[in-house]
Amino acid sequence: MSGLTRRRFLASSSAAAAGLAAGPWVGKSWAQGGPIKIGVLLPYSGVYAVLGESITQAMELVFAREGGMVAGRKIELIKEDSEAKPPVGVRKADKLIDSDKVDLLTGPVHSGVLAGIRDKVHNTKTILIVSNAGADQISRERCSRWIFRTSFSNWQPCQPMGGWVAKNVAKEVFQIAPNYQAGKDMMAAFRETFLPAGGKVIAEDYPKLGETDYAPFITKIKQSGAKAVFAFFSGSDAVNFVKQYDQFGLKQTIKLTGAGFLTEPDVLPAQGQSALGVITGHFYTPLLDNPVNQRFVREFKEKYNKSTDGFACQGYDTAEVIVRALKGVNGNTQDKMKLVEAIAKVEFDSPRGRFRFDPKTQNVIQPFIYVREVKEVAGGLNNVVIDRIADVRDPGTGCTLPV
Ligand code: BEZ
């Protein structure tokens, strides 16, 4: 994101329209028609800046459609740049919860930020709607009644891909991902179905998040004897890795596959022809043929002059969940358990298909994980669906932690 765009994002702490109408309730802030404060903790700088931008833009599209109001209360977004760095994210979450006293929190993008803020969110009973970070532990041993996830668990786009790659691409694979929780989660999920299908992991490697020179890693891949690569990179890491993989001449000989983030439309224009032929698994592509998605793609293009992507779909769904749940409780944010119950019940047609939470994990059930190949269609590079796996739920078995 350019400095100007970043400043514009952070300067507008309110997405909403003016004009306040008090509701029929009695608690202090909403009796006065006070705004509903939503803390938005996303990266607006650093490796994952483009992800934060897409999520925010789509949320603002939905809130604008509602006239910036829900149940008679203005929606106020308080944005903080997590920089995709856990210590920064933790500090900013503390500020949003303790000083701004937000009614709801959304974000983050980085699994380490999510792991870092989880206990604070849980202990302060702050409702968090995770709009990207996939840390598997949040659907499992560290789940919380106060945390929902509209995006994915890291397991979801990768576990179905293991068996698919073993069957359709190669049985000798090199795994590579940034060296932090999300990378480790995704590579482990892939192996769950890859190994039983007869696959062999030739080697794995974990460059630092924000690496810019992948030459040493690509040289290892070249010398390894692997027939394919399964990779997770996102944001500027995805641009650098995919371009350098092609520049070193590996694209023709060692098939590049990965988690969908590798070739999302936020990075495809910068990757250009280097991305052609890359195969990834994801819950979304702008090419999905349903009326909600077609409208979303059209309106997003009109407003921002760019393509939707999975991150934008996550922002759209986060805002839809917030709007629908708040309407369900008539704008009452004081009774937090009632709001949690309203969120859990939300269901709607999303650009990705039917949206609903799994009651066992409070994580979204993916209607499909699509196997997609980057092809030149409709006048540009696109993730074209070549196969799909239905009803992908994280295997978390239930939150047993006390409310
Ligand atoms: C994560 O850290 O959980 C993550 C970041 C970017 C894309 C996908 C997952």
Side-chain angles (χ1 to χ4, degrees), residues 48 51 108-114 132-135 149 152 154 180-183 185-186 209 232-235 261 282 311 314:
Y48 291 152
L51 286 65
V109 156
H110 185 295
S111 278
V113 174
L114 178 57
N132 187 76
R149 185 154 49 197
F152 51 83
N154 289 328
Y180 78 105
Q181 193 62 49
D185 280 352
M186 292 197 206
L209 181 68
F232 156 60
F233 291 107
S234 192
F261 319 100
H282 211 34
F311 309 109
Q314 296 159 202

Side-chain angles (χ1 to χ4, degrees), residues 112-124:
V113 174
L114 178 57
I117 68 173
R118 185 265 172 212
D119 286 352
K120 171 82 178 202
V121 164
H122 181 74
N123 294 332
T124 55

Side-chain angles (χ1 to χ4, degrees), residues 18-19 28 105 157 304 339 379:
K28 191 164 181 260
L105 186 61
Y304 303 115
L339 184 51

